[in-house]
């Protein structure tokens, strides 16, 4: 699940996240769903950073990288701190 989310996230994070969220309540644990969403978001962030690095100077891509790392850390923190969050 995480691998396919990561691959899908390279192109379109919305489709990857929505596909994973449709599996909620279907026998897949919420932790697995959370990890798959984070993997999709992280792979999309890497593609955005690489695009920014290719398109402009470091002054453009470095703030983009910082924002993506902060967003990924916040998502991971939420996943770890709210293990009983109910998607249903």
């Amino acid at each position: 699940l995480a691998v396919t989310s990561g691959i899908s996230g390279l192109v379109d994070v919305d489709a990857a996240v929505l596909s994973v969220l449709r599996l909620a309540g279907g026998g897949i644990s919420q932790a697995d769903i959370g990890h798959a969403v984070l993997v999709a978001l992280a792979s999309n962030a890497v593609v955005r950073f690489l695009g920014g690095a290719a398109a402009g100077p470091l002054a453009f891509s470095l703030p983009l990288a910082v924002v993506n790392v902060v967003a990924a850390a916040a998502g991971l923190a939420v996943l770890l701190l709210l293990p009983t969050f109910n998607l249903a």
Side-chain angles (χ1 to χ4, degrees):
L1 185 62
V3 173
T4 56
S5 293
I7 292 169
S8 298
L10 293 173
V11 179
D12 184 11
V13 72
D14 296 330
V17 169
L18 290 174
S19 294
V20 170
L21 290 177
R22 280 192 205 133
L23 300 174
I28 295 178
S29 73
Q30 292 179 2
D32 288 341
I33 291 171
H35 289 123
V37 168
L38 283 178
V39 168
L41 292 171
S43 67
N44 188 263
V46 169
V47 168
R48 284 185 289 160
F49 169 73
L50 293 175
L58 187 61
F60 174 74
S61 58
L62 189 58
L64 184 62
V66 170
V67 168
N68 283 320
V69 168
V70 169
L76 182 60
V78 168
L79 180 66
L80 296 175
L81 294 174
L82 297 174
T84 58
F85 183 70
N86 189 357
L87 291 173

